[in-house]
Amino acid sequence: MTAAIRVLLVDDQTLVRAGFRALLNSEPDIEVVAEAVDGAEAVRLAGMLVPDVVLMDVRMPHVDGLEATGRITADPRLASVKVIVLTTFELDEYVFGALRAGAAGFLLKDVEPEALVDAVRLVHDGQALLAPRVTKRLIEAYIAADPAPVAAPAAVPAPDDRRLDDLTPREREILALVGRGLSNHEIAEHLVLSPLTAKTHVSRLFLKLGARDRAQLVVTAYETGPVTAPSAGS
């Protein structure tokens, strides 16, 4: 029998945690192993329990979700832990920072129950980019916006950015498609490749770029230039 997906809930609101716990524990393949009320407790519990998935609220007292996500993803002992950021607003100023800090993706708190359960399973299975349409819009907004609140990526490669030097032309093309939010299946259709070939190319991108998951590939695509923000009115 396959082991249950172990989830750590992080939210400062008791009712929110209770609702998520009831929902997730009702699934036979998911188990909530602990709850945390702020980022500091989340980091401590993640280090102790090494859960498969962390559902991380963004706005919390003391240590917020952004800092906690960065601490978790920076710990080599927690390399297998996937963080899903939960936010109330699509353009929450902290979400982009959380993606750069290593979050696997993000969901809005008003997500349908079935979508939340599916998200946990998808992230656990390595399909780390969640809600690509919303994630793409979020990143585009921060490229185009004043970078004062959060250090946004440049729309063109920095002169000393050599991260793409080892990529083949095909890999650069696929990185751009990942940055646009396409799944492996959609990439295969777009480039007339087999799904296995598309998956292999994406796997090589993970290795060559040192990306933790698909969300980081999206950020890298915007930071280094294969994908740029749309022009006004587009």
Side-chain angles (χ1 to χ4, degrees):
M1 182 177 178
T2 304
I5 302 169
R6 303 169 67 251
V7 177
L8 169 62
L9 296 179
V10 186
D11 198 294
D12 60 330
Q13 298 183 48
T14 303
L15 287 177
V16 171
R17 295 198 312 275
F20 285 155
R21 173 184 280 275
L23 171 65
L24 295 174
N25 278 344
S26 68
E27 299 296 322
D29 59 334
I30 300 176
E31 176 189 6
V32 175
V33 295
E35 299 178 16
V37 299
D38 61 24
E41 188 176 20
V43 173
R44 180 180 64 82
L45 289 173
M48 289 175 53
L49 302 172
V50 192
D52 298 308
V53 177
V54 178
L55 288 180
M56 179 78 73
D57 186 26
V58 173
R59 298 185 178 184
M60 296 179 290
H62 310 304
V63 176
D64 65 24
L66 173 61
E67 183 175 344
T69 296
R71 291 185 191 179
I72 290 171
T73 59
D75 188 336
R77 299 171 303 166
L78 304 179
S80 64
V81 178
K82 304 297 185 182
V83 180
I84 301 174
V85 170
L86 296 167
T87 179
T88 306
F89 307 102
E90 286 190 8
L91 295 182
D92 192 306
E93 65 190 41
Y94 292 108
V95 174
F96 182 79
L99 290 175
R100 297 192 71 183
F106 75 97
L107 290 174
L108 300 180
K109 278 191 173 181
D110 62 357
V111 64
E112 292 294 324
E114 296 82 3
L116 176 64
V117 172
D118 288 344
V120 170
R121 292 182 178 130
L122 286 171
V123 166
H124 180 253
D125 289 340
Q127 303 179 53
L129 181 60
L130 303 177
R133 176 181 58 82
V134 181
T135 303
K136 175 175 176 285
R137 189 163 68 245
L138 173 81
I139 295 174
E140 287 172 346
Y142 272 91
I143 292 172
D146 182 343
V150 177
V156 296
D160 60 347
D161 195 328
R162 310 296 298 273
R163 283 177 285 176
L164 304 191
D165 285 0
D166 293 335
L167 301 188
T168 66
R170 175 62 90 187
E171 287 167 346
R172 291 182 184 226
E173 186 177 19
I174 288 176
L175 178 62
L177 294 175
V178 171
R180 285 168 48 190
L182 273 65
S183 67
N184 287 356
H185 181 73
E186 291 168 334
I187 290 171
E189 289 186 341
H190 184 83
L191 298 178
V192 195
L193 302 172
S194 72
L196 179 59
T197 298
K199 181 178 179 180
T200 299
H201 280 304
V202 172
S203 296
R204 287 175 181 166
L205 289 176
F206 285 135
L207 291 174
K208 288 187 175 183
L209 297 174
R212 180 184 175 92
D213 52 41
R214 204 176 185 93
Q216 288 196 324
L217 287 183
V218 172
V219 174
T220 299
Y222 280 91
E223 287 180 329
T224 56
V227 180
T228 55
S231 59
S234 63

